Amino acid sequence: ASAQTLQEAMAAMADKVKPLGSLGHLEDIATRIASLRGRVDLPEPTPAVVVCAADHGVASQGVSAFPQAVTGLMLTAFGSGGAAVAVLSRAAGARLVVADLGVIDPPAVPSLLDRSVRPGTADSALEPAMTVAEATLALEHGIGIAHELIDDGVDLIALGEMGIGNTTTASALTAALLGCDAAATCGRGTGLDDVQVAHKVSVVDQILARHATSGVSNDPLATLASIGGLEVAALAGVVLGAAERRIPVLVDGFITGAAALVAARLAPASTDAMIAAHLSPEPGHALQLAALGLRPLLDLEMRLGEGSGAALAINLVRSAIAVLTEMATFASLGPAETSPVA
Amino acid sequence: ASAQTLQEAMAAMADKVKPLGSLGHLEDIATRIASLRGRVDLPEPTPAVVVCAADHGVASQGVSAFPQAVTGLMLTAFGSGGAAVAVLSRAAGARLVVADLGVIDPPAVPSLLDRSVRPGTADSALEPAMTVAEATLALEHGIGIAHELIDDGVDLIALGEMGIGNTTTASALTAALLGCDAAATCGRGTGLDDVQVAHKVSVVDQILARHATSGVSNDPLATLASIGGLEVAALAGVVLGAAERRIPVLVDGFITGAAALVAARLAPASTDAMIAAHLSPEPGHALQLAALGLRPLLDLEMRLGEGSGAALAINLVRSAIAVLTEMATFASLGPAETSPVA
């Protein structure tokens, strides 16, 4: 991020026909994006929502309210436009890009990007979810997707995900990266009751215990390979690819937050590109955001994932940019006595 | 609101390809609007932002950081498209309607609706702000504006306001209607320091003391006339006019919240039409929302007014409606084994 552009953007914002700071976090978002992009004259955003999907071997531990076949089924709903993230992307005027990083039984959807690394991860409670080479390949696929979109004119990327069982993966990954207990990062996912959450905690404890003996716990890439998942690796790559090109990324909820954590461990400056779209009720999400130093734009008790919160926040970012680029200044309007009385 | 349509909308939402309730408050907003309008097949909204402007005699007590001439000046910025609410209305795809209810020195802006009742209110610290007849006329102007817009196809109205000194008026009105202390309803407005806020509290105390001896404190219309302001009266009318036609209204911040309170006292069922766009840092705003039973969609520390928060929330409402009307159902997608595991 450019400190000089940040100063210029803050000075431009201070001249607008409004009391200083009176548009709150909209002003912060606009000046942060200007600083990231190194320019105050930001264009109207061209957004894309990138959903990465994959299956999780740990689903066989019975940690989700839905059967694993739903991962593939939802890809059909993404393709036909009837899923929440498809509806919300359309409402936001954003292109929706869905990539298969490792769905066991992917449907025949023409628009689906095939970036399958392997048909789902192994059960991370019993063995490493994937090899470091596989995690690296998934990460590189994510970087590639980001670069292709940016080359095509996209300058705002919203993250989304699909993968039955992936809140368990995200809980284990968050606990491993932040050094906290499984209980602090396990929530209801898409609809678990108290007994089911307790079971999820025990599965995450098992993943963490196996991972702790693997000798790689200080290496973010090896941790990612050990715990999973394939779509989390790709999403971390999307963040890295966007940050490298100084394009802002809207982080959705808990799963994409885990990917953002991985990206931040691999490249700390990538947090400059991150905007937190919303706060998920998953207890580990607030821990992720605190570690990343991000404040969410929305808090609507949304817990669907898919990228629904990130897609919903696109218009807030668009509005923040419009405030910076389209608002008039007091000087352009009239006489000097209209500035605030000291 | 229709209880039967509410049940139908909730049943429709429960069938969507997502865990029940996982889109949080978006689901509540959509089902509330369906219930209000008496139909589940809601059209894509046609929104308008209605900004009512007027001057306040109490500004002569030195309660604002800005001189009174700024009220008129901002009307120029609304007309030229450079004010925050103009930028945010454009970003939301909403028509912007600005009405002069009593600006002392209104500029020549062709698009400005002339509904001037009198050139500003009297100083409510010393005498009634206006007569009951004047308050009634301003209220009727607001009802008329709402009805004209709705007749023209508008089906979502966002409220906005402009009037130097109007946080003082809103503080006094809120304290009078809710029966709380001036200190609980007085905040920094557009940028007061602690000493200036203390002065504002003393002015509001003076307004409340004068009003208490007027013998009209249980009559909302007489209270509105006693305390002001002209734009608050008109905005209460917009709420009543929209509610009567079962059209939802996005309430902005503290000033429009005071208007919503007046509307709720005059017609309690009008709260069915209200959606709280955001939470203002003005301390009295949370009190208003609690009294109205509303939960704000956004909390971005915005304190500009003008309708900036309400305009920003339009796309959230649009997205909520799209979720209800455009999302697919599990039944439409595939086999029965994809529903949640019990």
Side-chain angles (χ1 to χ4, degrees):
Chain A
S2 158
Q4 189 191 328
T5 313
L6 182 62
Q7 291 304 317
E8 286 170 20
M10 290 175 72
M13 199 62 95
D15 281 343
K16 302 296 185 185
V17 282
K18 58 172 190 54
L20 186 61
S22 61
L23 286 175
H25 292 279
L26 281 193
E27 299 190 23
D28 304 335
I29 293 293
T31 54
R32 275 191 70 206
I33 293 175
S35 170
L36 176 71
R37 305 212 52 200
R39 57 188 287 191
V40 175
D41 62 327
L42 296 168
E44 196 178 328
T46 301
V49 178
V50 177
V51 176
C52 295
D55 274 308
H56 294 253
V58 75
S60 64
Q61 299 285 340
V63 287
S64 176
F66 287 83
Q68 201 161 32
V70 169
T71 304
L73 183 84
M74 288 308 299
L75 296 187
T76 304
F78 296 159
S80 65
V85 71
V87 169
L88 293 170
S89 296
R90 206 156 55 230
R95 187 193 316 191
L96 175 62
V97 176
V98 183
D100 171 10
L101 273 299
V103 177
I104 290 173
D105 191 15
V109 174
S111 60
L112 185 63
L113 293 183
D114 179 5
R115 298 289 186 277
S116 185
V117 172
R118 52 180 279 176
T121 50
D123 182 351
S124 58
L126 307 176
E127 58 184 312
M130 56 186 143
T131 66
V132 169
E134 287 166 339
T136 304
L137 181 57
L139 197 81
E140 286 170 350
H141 281 322
I143 294 172
I145 290 169
H147 286 180
E148 283 166 40
L149 287 171
I150 295 164
D151 289 341
D152 203 31
V154 167
D155 57 9
L156 175 63
I157 295 178
L159 304 181
E161 45 61 43
M162 184 64 218
I164 294 301
N166 69 5
T167 64
T168 299
T169 296
S171 293
L173 198 51
T174 301
L177 292 172
L178 298 184
C180 56
D181 289 342
T185 64
C186 286
R188 300 190 183 281
T190 47
L192 303 181
D193 63 24
D194 288 349
V195 172
Q196 292 165 323
V197 172
H199 173 60
K200 186 169 166 179
V201 171
S202 73
V203 171
V204 170
D205 272 332
Q206 198 179 336
I207 299 169
L208 293 172
R210 183 196 54 69
H211 176 62
T213 63
S214 68
V216 299
S217 55
N218 283 321
D219 177 337
L221 191 59
T223 299
L224 175 65
S226 169
I227 295 176
L230 291 154
E231 85 281 39
V232 174
L235 288 162
V238 172
V239 173
L240 296 178
E244 181 192 344
R245 300 281 289 270
R246 305 174 68 152
I247 293 297
V249 173
L250 274 163
V251 182
D252 185 45
F254 183 51
I255 318 300
T256 61
L261 266 188
V262 171
R265 287 296 164 91
L266 292 169
S270 67
T271 56
D272 287 348
M274 300 176 191
I275 300 170
H278 81 125
L279 180 67
S280 158
E282 282 292 305
H285 192 223
L287 300 176
Q288 293 170 347
L289 295 181
L292 295 166
L294 302 176
R295 182 195 186 278
L297 284 167
L298 292 163
D299 181 7
L300 295 172
E301 298 180 29
M302 292 169 66
R303 54 182 171 80
L304 175 58
E306 290 185 11
S308 51
L312 190 63
I314 286 172
N315 272 317
L316 299 179
V317 173
R318 183 180 274 133
S319 295
I321 289 174
V323 163
L324 179 59
T325 58
E326 297 180 25
M327 268 188 74
T329 60
F330 271 115
S332 74
L333 279 188
E337 76 263 18
T338 53
S339 49
V341 177
Chain B
S2 157
Q4 189 191 328
T5 313
L6 181 63
Q7 289 305 316
E8 285 170 20
M10 289 174 72
M13 199 62 97
D15 281 344
K16 303 296 186 184
V17 282
K18 58 173 191 54
L20 186 62
S22 61
L23 286 176
H25 292 278
L26 282 193
E27 300 190 24
D28 304 334
I29 293 294
T31 52
R32 275 192 70 205
I33 292 175
S35 170
L36 176 71
R37 304 213 52 200
R39 57 189 287 192
V40 175
D41 61 328
L42 295 168
E44 196 177 327
T46 300
V49 179
V50 177
V51 176
C52 294
D55 275 307
H56 294 254
V58 74
S60 64
Q61 298 285 340
V63 287
S64 175
F66 287 83
Q68 201 161 31
V70 169
T71 305
L73 184 83
M74 289 308 298
L75 296 187
T76 305
F78 296 159
S80 65
V85 72
V87 169
L88 294 170
S89 296
R90 207 156 53 230
R95 189 192 315 190
L96 174 62
V97 176
V98 184
D100 171 9
L101 274 297
V103 177
I104 290 174
D105 190 16
V109 173
S111 60
L112 184 64
L113 293 184
D114 179 5
R115 298 289 186 276
S116 186
V117 172
R118 53 181 280 177
T121 50
D123 183 351
S124 57
L126 306 177
E127 58 185 311
M130 56 186 143
T131 65
V132 169
E134 288 164 339
T136 304
L137 181 58
L139 197 82
E140 286 170 349
H141 281 322
I143 294 172
I145 290 169
H147 286 179
E148 283 167 39
L149 287 171
I150 295 164
D151 288 341
D152 203 31
V154 167
D155 57 10
L156 174 63
I157 295 178
L159 304 181
E161 45 62 42
M162 182 66 218
I164 294 301
N166 69 4
T167 64
T168 299
T169 296
S171 293
L173 198 50
T174 301
L177 291 172
L178 297 184
C180 57
D181 289 343
T185 64
C186 286
R188 299 188 183 283
T190 47
L192 302 182
D193 63 24
D194 288 350
V195 172
Q196 292 165 322
V197 172
H199 173 61
K200 186 169 166 179
V201 171
S202 74
V203 172
V204 170
D205 272 333
Q206 197 179 337
I207 299 170
L208 293 172
R210 183 196 53 70
H211 176 63
T213 62
S214 68
V216 299
S217 55
N218 284 322
D219 177 340
L221 190 61
T223 299
L224 175 65
S226 169
I227 295 176
L230 291 154
E231 84 281 40
V232 175
L235 288 162
V238 173
V239 173
L240 295 178
E244 180 192 346
R245 301 281 289 270
R246 305 174 68 153
I247 293 297
V249 173
L250 274 162
V251 181
D252 185 45
F254 184 51
I255 318 301
T256 60
L261 267 188
V262 171
R265 288 296 162 91
L266 291 170
S270 66
T271 57
D272 287 348
M274 300 177 192
I275 300 170
H278 81 124
L279 180 66
S280 158
E282 282 292 306
H285 192 224
L287 301 176
Q288 292 169 347
L289 295 181
L292 294 167
L294 302 176
R295 182 195 185 280
L297 284 168
L298 293 163
D299 181 8
L300 296 172
E301 296 179 31
M302 291 168 66
R303 53 181 172 80
L304 175 58
E306 290 184 11
S308 50
L312 190 62
I314 286 172
N315 271 316
L316 299 179
V317 173
R318 183 179 274 133
S319 295
I321 289 174
V323 163
L324 178 61
T325 58
E326 298 180 25
M327 269 188 74
T329 59
F330 271 116
S332 73
L333 277 188
E337 75 263 19
T338 53
S339 49
V341 177

